[in-house]
Amino acid sequence: MEAALGLMRRIPPKHSVTALSALVSLLPNHSSDLLSQVDQPLQVLCDSESGKEFILCEYNRDADSYRSPWSNKYHPPLGDALLPSDELRKLEVEANEVFAIYRDQYYEGGISSVYLWEDNNEGFVACFLIKKDGARTAHGRRGYLQEGLWEAIHVIEVGPEDETTRYCLTSTVMLSLTTDKESSGTFNLSGSIRRQMTMDLPLADGHLCNMGKMIEEMEGKLRNSLDQVYFGKTKEMVCTLRPPSEVVMRLPNS
Amino acid sequence: MAEEECELSDEQKKEIAKWFLYNAPSGEIQYIAKDLRSVLNDDKLYDEATSEAFPLYNKSHLICLELPCRSGDVLITPYNELEENQFIEPRTAQIVTIDHVKQACTEVRPAADEELASPYVEEFRCALDAEILKYVEEAYPKGVCSVYCVDGKDAEGPGCNFEFAVVIAAARNSPKNFCNGSWRSVWNIKFKEDALEIKGKLQVDAHYFEEGNVQLDAEQECQDGTIFQAPDDCAISIANIIRHHEAEYLKSLETSYSNLSDKTFKDLRRKLPVTRTLFPWHNTLQFSLTRDIQKELGIGK
C-alpha cells in the first residue's frame, strides 16, 4: 500500500486518473483505501430538482449514487441510503449557503459543495469542496489559450463539543495550468499539495464560523505555497538546467 | 468493487507495470521500479515488464551513462542504437553494450570502420560535434551532447545527402531536495545539395515533490535552415541556429511562467475578496445571515 502511494506521488499529475484505476485493478483488496487516500479530479453532477450543480466525492457517495447538498437526494435515486441526521442536515444547508457566498467572493465563479456526516466519536466530519474552472474565462492573450483548473478539498474532523472543540483540517488543492501556444509548443504545470491544521476553539461563534475561518486561512496559505512551489521551484529547476543567456554571457569566455 | 471480478491476466498486469515505468519522471525510474515490484508481488512479471519498459524509457529520456574507465560518457538515444543493447559513441569511436535495467555499461569495444561514417561525412560530423560541445559547455552547467549520423553515413562526396541528429541532454536530480528535472533537445539536420534543413524538438520537465506532487511538462518544435558550406562553416552556422532557438525557448518559458502567475492564477482565486477584508464568518449565527451578508458585501441578487 505504501508502495502504491509512492507510485501516485511520482506519476505525472495529468496521468493520475489512469494511474489510480490501474492501481485499484492491481490491488483490488486495497481499493477502498486507495480511493479514500488518493485525491482525484472532482466531478460534477446537476441536481435535477434545483438545477444547481454539486461536486462528487467519496463523502457523498453511497453505492453508485451521489447525494446532492441542495435537495438532499441521491442521483440516481437510491432507496435506504445514508442521510445525515436532521440536526446535521440543518447545519449542512447553512454551510452550503454561506460557503457559496465565500466561494463567490474569492473565486468569482466556480462550484462548491459541503457535506456533513456523523462519525463514531460523538462529533461529525465536514467536507468542503470547491471546483473552479478558469478555462471558461479563456482570454486569448496574444494568441495563448490558457486553461486553469483549481480544485480544493477540505475535510474537517470535528471532535465532541466541550469547553473547546477540536477541529482537524486536512486540505488538498489540485491545480492544473496549461498554455497551448500556436507555434506548436505546449506548457503544462499541474499537481497537488496537501496540508494539515488542528485547532481547539470555543463554540461561542458556532461550528460554521470556526471551520470557515480555518479554511480561509488554509486556502490563503496554500495559494501562497502554490505560487512559490509551482512557479518557484519548477522554474528554478529550468533555469538551473539551462541558465538564461544574460547569466551565461557574464561568465568568462572559455 | 472487485470481489468477484476476474483478476487481471498476467499480460494485462505487465502492460500496466510497463505504463508506470515508462511514465516515470526523469531520474525516477528506479524508485518507481522499486515501488512497482512491491505492488506487483510477482518477480517474474516484474522482470518481464522492466526488461521491456526500461529500454524505451532510457532512449526516450536520452539518459547518459558513464563509460568504463571514466573515458567519457555515452548517451542512450534512438539515434545511436545499433542493436538492442548496443550504442555507438562517435566522439571516441566506440561501441558500448549496456544493461538497460541496471542503466549501466557492460562492455566497450572500438568501432569498426564500417560502423563509422565515411571520411566525407565524418568531417562534417566532427566539426559540428566540436561546435556543439563548445556551445553546450557554455550554456549548460551539466549538459551532455553528441552528434550522430542517422542517414547516408556512407555518402562519398558532394551531391549525396545525409542526415545528422544533434542530441543535447541535461538532467538535474536532487532527490534529497525533492526536485528533479531534465532538458532534452534533439535537432535533425538534413544535408541536401545546396541547403540544410533543420528541425528541432525541445522538451523540458521538472518534478517537485515535497509534501505534494507538482510537475512541469513543456515542449516546443521549431524549424530553420541554412546554406550548404564547408564543414567548419556549416558547424558554426548550425550551432548558432541552435543556440538562438534554445535561448528563445527559454525566454518563452519564462514568459509562460509569468503569464500564468500574473493572469491565470489570479483568475482562479483572488488573494482577498473585493472588499479587501477577510470573509465575515461571524454573521453566520442568525438565519437571515445570507441576506445580511449579501447586503454587507453589496451583492445584488
Side-chain angles (χ1 to χ4, degrees), chain B residues 240-296:
Chain B
N240 280 339
I241 289 177
I242 291 182
R243 176 185 286 114
H244 166 77
H245 281 281
E246 295 194 343
E248 282 300 303
Y249 184 52
L250 190 68
K251 268 202 218 132
S252 87
L253 282 176
E254 289 182 316
T255 310
S256 290
Y257 264 104
S258 47
N259 270 346
L260 288 175
S261 181
D262 290 339
K263 188 116 205 359
T264 312
F265 210 30
K266 293 201 172 116
D267 279 347
L268 287 178
R269 186 186 189 277
R270 306 173 58 96
K271 267 201 172 149
L272 276 179
V274 190
T275 56
R276 305 228 185 149
T277 57
L278 293 175
F279 190 75
W281 297 98
H282 274 96
N283 292 328
T284 67
L285 286 178
Q286 293 128 27
F287 199 92
S288 51
L289 43 103
T290 6
R291 267 174 275 137
D292 281 349
I293 290 179
Q294 285 176 345
K295 253 190 257 153
E296 193 180 326

Short mmCIF file of all heavy atoms in Angstrom, two decimals, chain B residues 240-296:
data_model
loop_
_atom_site.label_atom_id
_atom_site.label_comp_id
_atom_site.label_asym_id
_atom_site.label_seq_id
_atom_site.Cartn_x
_atom_site.Cartn_y
_atom_site.Cartn_z
N ASN B 240 24.97 28.16 -34.18
CA ASN B 240 24.35 29.46 -33.90
C ASN B 240 22.84 29.38 -33.95
O ASN B 240 22.14 29.96 -33.13
CB ASN B 240 24.84 30.52 -34.89
CG ASN B 240 26.20 31.05 -34.48
OD1 ASN B 240 26.59 30.94 -33.32
ND2 ASN B 240 26.93 31.61 -35.44
N ILE B 241 22.34 28.64 -34.94
CA ILE B 241 20.89 28.48 -35.05
C ILE B 241 20.33 27.80 -33.81
O ILE B 241 19.33 28.22 -33.23
CB ILE B 241 20.54 27.68 -36.33
CG1 ILE B 241 20.80 28.55 -37.55
CG2 ILE B 241 19.09 27.23 -36.30
CD1 ILE B 241 20.56 27.84 -38.87
N ILE B 242 21.02 26.75 -33.41
CA ILE B 242 20.55 26.01 -32.23
C ILE B 242 20.59 26.91 -31.00
O ILE B 242 19.65 26.99 -30.21
CB ILE B 242 21.40 24.75 -32.01
CG1 ILE B 242 21.12 23.75 -33.13
CG2 ILE B 242 21.12 24.13 -30.65
CD1 ILE B 242 21.87 22.45 -33.01
N ARG B 243 21.70 27.60 -30.85
CA ARG B 243 21.85 28.49 -29.70
C ARG B 243 20.71 29.51 -29.67
O ARG B 243 20.09 29.75 -28.64
CB ARG B 243 23.19 29.22 -29.77
CG ARG B 243 23.39 30.25 -28.65
CD ARG B 243 24.68 31.04 -28.82
NE ARG B 243 25.86 30.24 -28.48
CZ ARG B 243 26.79 29.86 -29.35
NH1 ARG B 243 26.70 30.21 -30.62
NH2 ARG B 243 27.82 29.13 -28.95
N HIS B 244 20.41 30.09 -30.84
CA HIS B 244 19.37 31.10 -30.92
C HIS B 244 18.01 30.55 -30.52
O HIS B 244 17.31 31.12 -29.68
CB HIS B 244 19.34 31.66 -32.35
CG HIS B 244 18.11 32.46 -32.65
ND1 HIS B 244 17.93 33.75 -32.21
CD2 HIS B 244 16.99 32.13 -33.32
CE1 HIS B 244 16.75 34.17 -32.62
NE2 HIS B 244 16.16 33.23 -33.29
N HIS B 245 17.64 29.42 -31.10
CA HIS B 245 16.32 28.86 -30.82
C HIS B 245 16.17 28.43 -29.38
O HIS B 245 15.13 28.61 -28.76
CB HIS B 245 16.03 27.67 -31.75
CG HIS B 245 15.60 28.07 -33.12
ND1 HIS B 245 14.32 28.48 -33.41
CD2 HIS B 245 16.30 28.15 -34.28
CE1 HIS B 245 14.24 28.78 -34.69
NE2 HIS B 245 15.42 28.59 -35.24
N GLU B 246 17.23 27.84 -28.83
CA GLU B 246 17.12 27.36 -27.46
C GLU B 246 17.02 28.53 -26.49
O GLU B 246 16.27 28.50 -25.51
CB GLU B 246 18.29 26.43 -27.12
CG GLU B 246 18.22 25.16 -27.96
CD GLU B 246 19.12 24.04 -27.47
OE1 GLU B 246 20.03 24.32 -26.67
OE2 GLU B 246 18.88 22.90 -27.90
N ALA B 247 17.77 29.60 -26.77
CA ALA B 247 17.67 30.77 -25.89
C ALA B 247 16.28 31.39 -25.99
O ALA B 247 15.69 31.78 -24.97
CB ALA B 247 18.74 31.79 -26.26
N GLU B 248 15.75 31.43 -27.20
CA GLU B 248 14.39 31.97 -27.39
C GLU B 248 13.39 31.13 -26.63
O GLU B 248 12.45 31.64 -26.03
CB GLU B 248 14.00 31.93 -28.88
CG GLU B 248 14.60 33.04 -29.72
CD GLU B 248 14.19 34.41 -29.24
OE1 GLU B 248 12.98 34.68 -29.17
OE2 GLU B 248 15.08 35.21 -28.91
N TYR B 249 13.56 29.82 -26.67
CA TYR B 249 12.62 28.94 -25.98
C TYR B 249 12.65 29.18 -24.48
O TYR B 249 11.62 29.24 -23.82
CB TYR B 249 12.94 27.48 -26.29
CG TYR B 249 11.93 26.52 -25.70
CD1 TYR B 249 10.57 26.70 -25.92
CD2 TYR B 249 12.33 25.45 -24.91
CE1 TYR B 249 9.63 25.85 -25.37
CE2 TYR B 249 11.39 24.59 -24.37
CZ TYR B 249 10.05 24.78 -24.60
OH TYR B 249 9.13 23.93 -24.06
N LEU B 250 13.85 29.34 -23.96
CA LEU B 250 13.95 29.59 -22.52
C LEU B 250 13.21 30.87 -22.17
O LEU B 250 12.48 30.95 -21.19
CB LEU B 250 15.41 29.68 -22.10
CG LEU B 250 15.59 29.70 -20.60
CD1 LEU B 250 15.21 28.35 -20.01
CD2 LEU B 250 17.01 30.02 -20.22
N LYS B 251 13.38 31.88 -23.01
CA LYS B 251 12.69 33.15 -22.77
C LYS B 251 11.19 32.93 -22.78
O LYS B 251 10.46 33.48 -21.96
CB LYS B 251 13.04 34.18 -23.85
CG LYS B 251 14.20 35.05 -23.50
CD LYS B 251 14.19 36.35 -24.30
CE LYS B 251 15.63 36.70 -24.67
NZ LYS B 251 15.81 37.06 -26.06
N SER B 252 10.72 32.13 -23.75
CA SER B 252 9.27 31.96 -23.83
C SER B 252 8.75 31.14 -22.65
O SER B 252 7.63 31.33 -22.20
CB SER B 252 8.87 31.34 -25.17
OG SER B 252 8.91 29.95 -25.11
N LEU B 253 9.59 30.27 -22.11
CA LEU B 253 9.17 29.54 -20.90
C LEU B 253 9.02 30.51 -19.75
O LEU B 253 8.06 30.45 -18.99
CB LEU B 253 10.22 28.49 -20.52
CG LEU B 253 10.22 27.20 -21.32
CD1 LEU B 253 11.36 26.31 -20.88
CD2 LEU B 253 8.90 26.45 -21.16
N GLU B 254 9.97 31.44 -19.65
CA GLU B 254 9.87 32.42 -18.57
C GLU B 254 8.63 33.27 -18.74
O GLU B 254 7.95 33.60 -17.77
CB GLU B 254 11.12 33.30 -18.56
CG GLU B 254 12.34 32.52 -18.08
CD GLU B 254 13.59 33.38 -18.01
OE1 GLU B 254 13.83 34.15 -18.95
OE2 GLU B 254 14.31 33.26 -17.01
N THR B 255 8.32 33.62 -19.98
CA THR B 255 7.10 34.40 -20.23
C THR B 255 5.87 33.60 -19.84
O THR B 255 4.95 34.13 -19.20
CB THR B 255 6.98 34.77 -21.72
OG1 THR B 255 8.19 35.35 -22.14
CG2 THR B 255 5.83 35.72 -21.95
N SER B 256 5.84 32.33 -20.21
CA SER B 256 4.70 31.49 -19.84
C SER B 256 4.52 31.48 -18.34
O SER B 256 3.42 31.59 -17.83
CB SER B 256 4.89 30.06 -20.32
OG SER B 256 4.79 29.98 -21.70
N TYR B 257 5.63 31.31 -17.62
CA TYR B 257 5.55 31.31 -16.17
C TYR B 257 4.96 32.62 -15.66
O TYR B 257 4.10 32.63 -14.79
CB TYR B 257 6.93 31.12 -15.54
CG TYR B 257 7.23 29.69 -15.18
CD1 TYR B 257 8.08 28.92 -15.96
CD2 TYR B 257 6.65 29.11 -14.06
CE1 TYR B 257 8.35 27.61 -15.61
CE2 TYR B 257 6.92 27.81 -13.72
CZ TYR B 257 7.77 27.06 -14.49
OH TYR B 257 8.03 25.76 -14.15
N SER B 258 5.43 33.74 -16.18
CA SER B 258 4.89 34.97 -15.61
C SER B 258 3.46 35.22 -16.05
O SER B 258 2.67 35.73 -15.27
CB SER B 258 5.79 36.18 -15.84
OG SER B 258 6.20 36.23 -17.17
N ASN B 259 3.09 34.81 -17.26
CA ASN B 259 1.69 34.93 -17.67
C ASN B 259 0.78 34.13 -16.75
O ASN B 259 -0.24 34.61 -16.28
CB ASN B 259 1.47 34.37 -19.08
CG ASN B 259 1.67 35.42 -20.12
OD1 ASN B 259 1.71 36.59 -19.81
ND2 ASN B 259 1.78 35.00 -21.36
N LEU B 260 1.18 32.88 -16.52
CA LEU B 260 0.34 32.03 -15.69
C LEU B 260 0.27 32.58 -14.28
O LEU B 260 -0.78 32.57 -13.66
CB LEU B 260 0.88 30.60 -15.67
CG LEU B 260 0.68 29.86 -16.98
CD1 LEU B 260 1.35 28.51 -16.94
CD2 LEU B 260 -0.79 29.67 -17.24
N SER B 261 1.39 33.07 -13.80
CA SER B 261 1.41 33.57 -12.44
C SER B 261 0.59 34.84 -12.31
O SER B 261 -0.19 35.00 -11.39
CB SER B 261 2.85 33.83 -12.01
OG SER B 261 2.89 34.28 -10.69
N ASP B 262 0.79 35.76 -13.26
CA ASP B 262 0.08 37.03 -13.14
C ASP B 262 -1.39 36.92 -13.48
O ASP B 262 -2.22 37.49 -12.82
CB ASP B 262 0.70 38.07 -14.10
CG ASP B 262 2.08 38.47 -13.63
OD1 ASP B 262 2.35 38.27 -12.44
OD2 ASP B 262 2.86 38.97 -14.44
N LYS B 263 -1.67 36.23 -14.58
CA LYS B 263 -3.04 36.26 -15.05
C LYS B 263 -3.88 35.08 -14.57
O LYS B 263 -4.81 35.22 -13.82
CB LYS B 263 -3.04 36.29 -16.59
CG LYS B 263 -4.41 36.52 -17.15
CD LYS B 263 -4.52 37.80 -17.91
CE LYS B 263 -5.91 38.39 -18.01
NZ LYS B 263 -7.01 37.74 -17.42
N THR B 264 -3.52 33.89 -15.00
CA THR B 264 -4.38 32.73 -14.77
C THR B 264 -4.59 32.45 -13.29
O THR B 264 -5.69 32.15 -12.86
CB THR B 264 -3.79 31.48 -15.43
OG1 THR B 264 -3.43 31.80 -16.75
CG2 THR B 264 -4.79 30.36 -15.44
N PHE B 265 -3.53 32.55 -12.50
CA PHE B 265 -3.66 32.26 -11.09
C PHE B 265 -4.65 33.21 -10.44
O PHE B 265 -5.50 32.82 -9.66
CB PHE B 265 -2.29 32.37 -10.44
CG PHE B 265 -2.11 31.48 -9.26
CD1 PHE B 265 -2.77 30.27 -9.19
CD2 PHE B 265 -1.27 31.82 -8.23
CE1 PHE B 265 -2.59 29.42 -8.12
CE2 PHE B 265 -1.08 30.98 -7.15
CZ PHE B 265 -1.74 29.78 -7.09
N LYS B 266 -4.56 34.49 -10.79
CA LYS B 266 -5.47 35.46 -10.21
C LYS B 266 -6.89 35.21 -10.68
O LYS B 266 -7.83 35.46 -9.95
CB LYS B 266 -5.04 36.88 -10.56
CG LYS B 266 -3.73 37.24 -9.89
CD LYS B 266 -3.49 38.73 -9.76
CE LYS B 266 -2.26 38.96 -8.90
NZ LYS B 266 -1.15 39.60 -9.59
N ASP B 267 -7.05 34.72 -11.91
CA ASP B 267 -8.38 34.39 -12.39
C ASP B 267 -8.97 33.24 -11.60
O ASP B 267 -10.19 33.09 -11.53
CB ASP B 267 -8.33 33.98 -13.87
CG ASP B 267 -8.29 35.19 -14.78
OD1 ASP B 267 -8.54 36.30 -14.28
OD2 ASP B 267 -8.01 35.01 -15.98
N LEU B 268 -8.12 32.39 -11.08
CA LEU B 268 -8.64 31.23 -10.37
C LEU B 268 -9.09 31.58 -8.96
O LEU B 268 -10.19 31.24 -8.56
CB LEU B 268 -7.57 30.13 -10.29
CG LEU B 268 -7.29 29.40 -11.59
CD1 LEU B 268 -6.20 28.38 -11.39
CD2 LEU B 268 -8.54 28.68 -12.08
N ARG B 269 -8.23 32.22 -8.21
CA ARG B 269 -8.61 32.57 -6.84
C ARG B 269 -7.92 33.86 -6.45
O ARG B 269 -6.70 33.96 -6.52
CB ARG B 269 -8.21 31.46 -5.86
CG ARG B 269 -8.71 31.73 -4.42
CD ARG B 269 -8.16 30.69 -3.44
NE ARG B 269 -8.79 30.79 -2.12
CZ ARG B 269 -8.43 31.64 -1.18
NH1 ARG B 269 -7.45 32.50 -1.41
NH2 ARG B 269 -9.04 31.66 0.00
N ARG B 270 -8.72 34.81 -5.98
CA ARG B 270 -8.17 36.08 -5.55
C ARG B 270 -7.43 35.90 -4.24
O ARG B 270 -7.68 34.96 -3.51
CB ARG B 270 -9.31 37.08 -5.31
CG ARG B 270 -10.26 37.26 -6.46
CD ARG B 270 -11.39 38.14 -6.00
NE ARG B 270 -10.85 39.41 -5.53
CZ ARG B 270 -10.77 40.49 -6.28
NH1 ARG B 270 -11.22 40.47 -7.52
NH2 ARG B 270 -10.27 41.61 -5.80
N LYS B 271 -6.55 36.85 -3.93
CA LYS B 271 -5.87 36.78 -2.64
C LYS B 271 -6.85 37.18 -1.54
O LYS B 271 -6.84 36.64 -0.45
CB LYS B 271 -4.67 37.72 -2.61
CG LYS B 271 -3.40 37.03 -3.01
CD LYS B 271 -2.16 37.76 -2.52
CE LYS B 271 -0.91 36.93 -2.77
NZ LYS B 271 0.25 37.77 -3.02
N LEU B 272 -7.67 38.17 -1.82
CA LEU B 272 -8.69 38.61 -0.88
C LEU B 272 -9.94 38.98 -1.67
O LEU B 272 -9.85 39.31 -2.84
CB LEU B 272 -8.22 39.88 -0.14
CG LEU B 272 -7.33 39.72 1.10
CD1 LEU B 272 -6.98 41.09 1.65
CD2 LEU B 272 -8.00 38.88 2.17
N PRO B 273 -11.11 38.97 -1.01
CA PRO B 273 -12.31 39.42 -1.72
C PRO B 273 -12.19 40.88 -2.13
O PRO B 273 -11.29 41.59 -1.69
CB PRO B 273 -13.43 39.25 -0.69
CG PRO B 273 -12.88 38.33 0.35
CD PRO B 273 -11.40 38.54 0.36
N VAL B 274 -13.13 41.32 -2.96
CA VAL B 274 -13.13 42.70 -3.43
C VAL B 274 -13.15 43.69 -2.28
O VAL B 274 -12.62 44.79 -2.35
CB VAL B 274 -14.38 42.96 -4.33
CG1 VAL B 274 -14.27 44.29 -5.02
CG2 VAL B 274 -14.48 41.85 -5.36
N THR B 275 -13.78 43.28 -1.18
CA THR B 275 -13.88 44.15 -0.02
C THR B 275 -12.54 44.36 0.68
O THR B 275 -12.43 45.18 1.58
CB THR B 275 -14.81 43.54 1.04
OG1 THR B 275 -14.30 42.24 1.36
CG2 THR B 275 -16.22 43.38 0.50
N ARG B 276 -11.53 43.60 0.26
CA ARG B 276 -10.20 43.70 0.85
C ARG B 276 -10.17 43.32 2.32
O ARG B 276 -9.24 43.67 3.05
CB ARG B 276 -9.60 45.10 0.69
CG ARG B 276 -9.57 45.52 -0.73
CD ARG B 276 -8.25 46.07 -1.12
NE ARG B 276 -8.33 46.59 -2.48
CZ ARG B 276 -7.65 47.59 -2.93
NH1 ARG B 276 -6.82 48.22 -2.14
NH2 ARG B 276 -7.78 47.97 -4.18
N THR B 277 -11.20 42.63 2.78
CA THR B 277 -11.16 42.12 4.16
C THR B 277 -11.44 40.63 4.11
O THR B 277 -11.96 40.14 3.12
CB THR B 277 -12.25 42.77 5.03
OG1 THR B 277 -13.52 42.51 4.41
CG2 THR B 277 -12.05 44.25 5.17
N LEU B 278 -11.14 39.98 5.19
CA LEU B 278 -11.44 38.56 5.26
C LEU B 278 -12.96 38.37 5.29
O LEU B 278 -13.70 39.30 5.59
CB LEU B 278 -10.82 37.94 6.52
CG LEU B 278 -9.28 37.89 6.53
CD1 LEU B 278 -8.79 37.38 7.87
CD2 LEU B 278 -8.77 36.98 5.40
N PHE B 279 -13.38 37.19 4.98
CA PHE B 279 -14.81 36.89 4.91
C PHE B 279 -15.45 37.00 6.30
O PHE B 279 -14.92 36.50 7.27
CB PHE B 279 -14.99 35.47 4.37
CG PHE B 279 -16.39 35.13 4.02
CD1 PHE B 279 -16.98 35.64 2.87
CD2 PHE B 279 -17.12 34.28 4.83
CE1 PHE B 279 -18.29 35.31 2.54
CE2 PHE B 279 -18.43 33.95 4.50
CZ PHE B 279 -19.00 34.47 3.35
N PRO B 280 -16.61 37.66 6.39
CA PRO B 280 -17.24 37.87 7.70
C PRO B 280 -18.02 36.64 8.18
O PRO B 280 -19.24 36.61 8.15
CB PRO B 280 -18.20 39.04 7.42
CG PRO B 280 -18.54 38.90 5.97
CD PRO B 280 -17.35 38.33 5.29
N TRP B 281 -17.30 35.65 8.62
CA TRP B 281 -17.95 34.41 9.08
C TRP B 281 -18.84 34.66 10.29
O TRP B 281 -19.81 33.95 10.51
CB TRP B 281 -16.91 33.36 9.45
CG TRP B 281 -16.06 32.92 8.31
CD1 TRP B 281 -14.81 33.37 8.01
CD2 TRP B 281 -16.38 31.97 7.30
NE1 TRP B 281 -14.33 32.75 6.88
CE2 TRP B 281 -15.28 31.88 6.43
CE3 TRP B 281 -17.50 31.17 7.04
CZ2 TRP B 281 -15.25 31.03 5.33
CZ3 TRP B 281 -17.47 30.31 5.95
CH2 TRP B 281 -16.35 30.26 5.11
N HIS B 282 -18.54 35.66 11.07
CA HIS B 282 -19.28 35.93 12.30
C HIS B 282 -20.76 36.08 12.10
O HIS B 282 -21.55 35.70 12.93
CB HIS B 282 -18.79 37.24 12.94
CG HIS B 282 -17.63 37.00 13.81
ND1 HIS B 282 -16.35 37.16 13.40
CD2 HIS B 282 -17.59 36.58 15.08
CE1 HIS B 282 -15.55 36.85 14.40
NE2 HIS B 282 -16.26 36.50 15.43
N ASN B 283 -21.10 36.68 11.00
CA ASN B 283 -22.52 36.96 10.78
C ASN B 283 -23.31 35.75 10.38
O ASN B 283 -24.39 35.86 9.85
CB ASN B 283 -22.68 38.05 9.72
CG ASN B 283 -22.17 39.36 10.24
OD1 ASN B 283 -22.26 39.63 11.42
ND2 ASN B 283 -21.64 40.18 9.35
N THR B 284 -22.75 34.57 10.60
CA THR B 284 -23.50 33.38 10.19
C THR B 284 -24.34 32.82 11.32
O THR B 284 -24.93 31.77 11.19
CB THR B 284 -22.54 32.28 9.72
OG1 THR B 284 -21.80 31.84 10.85
CG2 THR B 284 -21.59 32.80 8.68
N LEU B 285 -24.35 33.52 12.44
CA LEU B 285 -25.09 32.95 13.58
C LEU B 285 -26.59 32.98 13.36
O LEU B 285 -27.29 32.04 13.66
CB LEU B 285 -24.73 33.69 14.88
CG LEU B 285 -23.34 33.33 15.41
CD1 LEU B 285 -23.04 34.14 16.66
CD2 LEU B 285 -23.26 31.85 15.72
N GLN B 286 -27.08 34.08 12.84
CA GLN B 286 -28.52 34.15 12.61
C GLN B 286 -28.88 33.53 11.28
O GLN B 286 -28.05 33.42 10.40
CB GLN B 286 -28.99 35.59 12.61
CG GLN B 286 -28.86 36.26 13.96
CD GLN B 286 -28.12 37.57 13.82
OE1 GLN B 286 -28.16 38.18 12.76
NE2 GLN B 286 -27.45 37.99 14.87
N PHE B 287 -30.13 33.22 11.13
CA PHE B 287 -30.52 32.56 9.90
C PHE B 287 -30.61 33.50 8.72
O PHE B 287 -30.32 33.14 7.59
CB PHE B 287 -31.84 31.80 10.07
CG PHE B 287 -32.01 30.77 9.00
CD1 PHE B 287 -31.57 29.47 9.22
CD2 PHE B 287 -32.54 31.09 7.75
CE1 PHE B 287 -31.69 28.52 8.22
CE2 PHE B 287 -32.65 30.14 6.75
CZ PHE B 287 -32.23 28.84 6.99
N SER B 288 -31.02 34.72 8.98
CA SER B 288 -31.16 35.67 7.87
C SER B 288 -29.78 36.20 7.49
O SER B 288 -29.65 37.22 6.86
CB SER B 288 -32.07 36.81 8.27
OG SER B 288 -31.63 37.34 9.51
N LEU B 289 -28.78 35.45 7.94
CA LEU B 289 -27.39 35.79 7.64
C LEU B 289 -27.14 36.00 6.16
O LEU B 289 -26.53 36.96 5.75
CB LEU B 289 -26.52 34.64 8.11
CG LEU B 289 -27.13 33.31 7.74
CD1 LEU B 289 -26.45 32.69 6.55
CD2 LEU B 289 -26.97 32.34 8.88
N THR B 290 -27.61 35.08 5.35
CA THR B 290 -27.28 35.18 3.93
C THR B 290 -27.70 36.52 3.39
O THR B 290 -26.96 37.18 2.67
CB THR B 290 -27.94 34.09 3.10
OG1 THR B 290 -28.81 33.36 3.96
CG2 THR B 290 -26.92 33.14 2.54
N ARG B 291 -28.87 36.96 3.78
CA ARG B 291 -29.32 38.25 3.27
C ARG B 291 -28.47 39.37 3.85
O ARG B 291 -28.12 40.31 3.16
CB ARG B 291 -30.79 38.46 3.62
CG ARG B 291 -31.70 38.00 2.49
CD ARG B 291 -33.16 38.05 2.83
NE ARG B 291 -33.59 36.87 3.52
CZ ARG B 291 -34.40 36.87 4.58
NH1 ARG B 291 -34.85 38.00 5.07
NH2 ARG B 291 -34.77 35.74 5.16
N ASP B 292 -28.13 39.25 5.13
CA ASP B 292 -27.30 40.29 5.75
C ASP B 292 -25.96 40.39 5.05
O ASP B 292 -25.50 41.47 4.73
CB ASP B 292 -27.04 39.95 7.23
CG ASP B 292 -28.23 40.30 8.08
OD1 ASP B 292 -29.13 40.99 7.55
OD2 ASP B 292 -28.27 39.91 9.26
N ILE B 293 -25.35 39.24 4.86
CA ILE B 293 -24.03 39.23 4.25
C ILE B 293 -24.09 39.80 2.85
O ILE B 293 -23.26 40.60 2.44
CB ILE B 293 -23.45 37.80 4.21
CG1 ILE B 293 -23.11 37.34 5.63
CG2 ILE B 293 -22.21 37.74 3.33
CD1 ILE B 293 -22.55 35.95 5.70
N GLN B 294 -25.12 39.40 2.15
CA GLN B 294 -25.24 39.91 0.78
C GLN B 294 -25.37 41.42 0.79
O GLN B 294 -24.78 42.11 -0.01
CB GLN B 294 -26.46 39.29 0.08
CG GLN B 294 -26.18 37.87 -0.32
CD GLN B 294 -27.40 37.22 -0.94
OE1 GLN B 294 -28.51 37.72 -0.82
NE2 GLN B 294 -27.20 36.10 -1.59
N LYS B 295 -26.13 41.92 1.76
CA LYS B 295 -26.29 43.38 1.84
C LYS B 295 -24.96 44.02 2.17
O LYS B 295 -24.55 45.00 1.58
CB LYS B 295 -27.31 43.72 2.96
CG LYS B 295 -28.65 44.18 2.39
CD LYS B 295 -29.55 44.73 3.45
CE LYS B 295 -30.62 43.70 3.80
NZ LYS B 295 -31.10 43.87 5.17
N GLU B 296 -24.26 43.43 3.17
CA GLU B 296 -23.00 44.00 3.61
C GLU B 296 -21.97 44.01 2.49
O GLU B 296 -21.20 44.95 2.35
CB GLU B 296 -22.46 43.17 4.79
CG GLU B 296 -21.32 43.86 5.52
CD GLU B 296 -20.83 43.01 6.67
OE1 GLU B 296 -21.65 42.32 7.28
OE2 GLU B 296 -19.63 43.04 6.94
#
